[in-house]
Amino acid sequence: SSLPTLARARSLTLACSSSARQQQHPRNMSLIEVGSDEKFNQEAVHFLKEHCWLSSCCCFGFGCASPTPFVWNQSKVCCLQAQATSDEDCCGDMGWCMCTNKICCYVEHTQFPPEGCRVALCSIFCLGSAPEQPKDEDSLDVSYLEDACWLYYCCCEGAGCTSKCCDPMISGQQKVFCCFGKSMTSDCCGERGIISLYSKVCCCVEYAQIPCGITPGIGLCGMMCCCGNLDEHADGSASGSD
């Protein structure tokens, strides 16, 4: 009778530890849309409060963190924003490897293994049909693939053009096993400033922002002496969500 009890205790322990990891490192791959400043503030405050900053000087700093997830990034430079994580499923609706890029009216698509063999020339498909919007909730809106004019498509890779030239002008997402990244155009300035970077690789974290906005302040080895405003922004985000 003790064996089933131990098995149940072990299962409960694993479930609790898994839940704790998910709460500590929530999986959130949704790009912050243009104008969603409140959501951006919440994620920035969470990132800056969660880690230990070895050196911080208002608009930039570096520190250390737990090794999971191995890669996490949320960045914006002028009118281009990007996001990356290593917390994606190795295989799923987007396959093992996937790449979708759009620059102006030019589009390209690669997926392995493919959902089905596709062969096309001048938008006439001899095998299969045009790629569709992935079912994965983390995927960007790539519905323009269905209406694109495909110059060619061979098995798992193809290129073409779309009439949606500036909606958005630049958009892309890439996945290699558990690593997933995506990027798209954004507003040049605003609440997020001209440059905002929140990045994590293994145990190393860094942030940078121009002009200075949400910041842990000035300090060393996790001890901030002045100029921090995380609590103010945290209270503002909480009251705004209420």
Side-chain angles (χ1 to χ4, degrees), residues 147-192:
D147 303 326
C149 176
W150 292 96
L151 304 178
Y152 76 93
Y153 207 106
C154 183
C155 295
C156 59
E157 192 270 337
C161 54
T162 176
S163 59
K164 299 179 180 179
C165 184
C166 300
D167 189 24
M169 181 172 291
I170 297 176
S171 173
Q173 58 185 10
Q174 300 80 33
K175 176 182 181 293
V176 179
F177 295 107
C178 65
C179 295
F180 181 46
K182 51 190 178 182
S183 58
M184 66 183 300
T185 48
S186 174
D187 54 344
C188 190
C189 198
E191 182 74 18
R192 286 175 265 179

Side-chain angles (χ1 to χ4, degrees), residues 13-14 19 21 28 34 44-45 59 61 77 120 129 136 143 169 204 206:
T13 302
L14 291 174
S19 175
R21 285 193 301 268
N28 185 356
V34 176
V45 170
C59 59
V77 178
S129 58
D136 194 303
S143 56
M169 181 172 291
C204 300
E206 63 177 345

Side-chain angles (χ1 to χ4, degrees), residues 53-58 207 215-229:
W53 299 101
L54 302 179
S55 174
S56 177
C57 187
C58 287
Y207 78 90
T215 175
I218 300 176
L220 294 172
C221 300
M223 303 295 293
M224 301 297 123
C225 59
C226 62
C227 301
N229 57 12

Side-chain angles (χ1 to χ4, degrees), residues 20-197:
R21 285 193 301 268
Q22 291 177 359
Q23 291 176 2
Q24 183 178 4
H25 301 285
R27 182 170 178 262
N28 185 356
M29 275 301 297
S30 58
L31 271 175
I32 303 173
E33 300 295 340
V34 176
S36 301
D37 295 331
E38 181 180 344
K39 182 178 178 182
F40 172 80
N41 290 344
Q42 292 174 354
E43 292 196 358
V45 170
H46 176 74
F47 180 86
L48 295 172
K49 294 186 72 172
E50 184 181 32
H51 305 308
C52 176
W53 299 101
L54 302 179
S55 174
S56 177
C57 187
C58 287
C59 59
F60 65 90
F62 66 91
C64 56
S66 65
T68 55
F70 191 81
V71 175
W72 189 91
N73 174 274
Q74 178 79 53
S75 60
K76 174 186 177 294
V77 178
C78 291
C79 60
L80 184 65
Q81 63 177 350
Q83 190 175 42
T85 185
S86 61
D87 201 24
E88 185 72 12
D89 296 332
C90 283
C91 190
D93 294 326
M94 292 187 284
W96 297 338
C97 302
M98 182 276 302
C99 177
T100 303
N101 290 322
K102 175 185 181 296
I103 302 177
C104 251
C105 61
Y106 174 78
V107 297
E108 60 182 7
H109 178 262
T110 303
Q111 184 178 11
F112 183 84
E115 295 178 340
C117 185
R118 299 184 176 99
V119 177
L121 186 64
C122 297
S123 208
I124 299 177
F125 280 83
C126 303
L127 287 176
S129 58
E132 298 179 350
Q133 171 72 31
K135 298 178 181 179
D136 194 303
E137 62 180 6
D138 291 334
S139 173
L140 291 174
D141 180 12
V142 292
S143 56
Y144 54 80
L145 294 177
E146 303 177 17
D147 303 326
C149 176
W150 292 96
L151 304 178
Y152 76 93
Y153 207 106
C154 183
C155 295
C156 59
E157 192 270 337
C161 54
T162 176
S163 59
K164 299 179 180 179
C165 184
C166 300
D167 189 24
M169 181 172 291
I170 297 176
S171 173
Q173 58 185 10
Q174 300 80 33
K175 176 182 181 293
V176 179
F177 295 107
C178 65
C179 295
F180 181 46
K182 51 190 178 182
S183 58
M184 66 183 300
T185 48
S186 174
D187 54 344
C188 190
C189 198
E191 182 74 18
R192 286 175 265 179
I194 301 174
I195 296 176
S196 64
L197 168 68

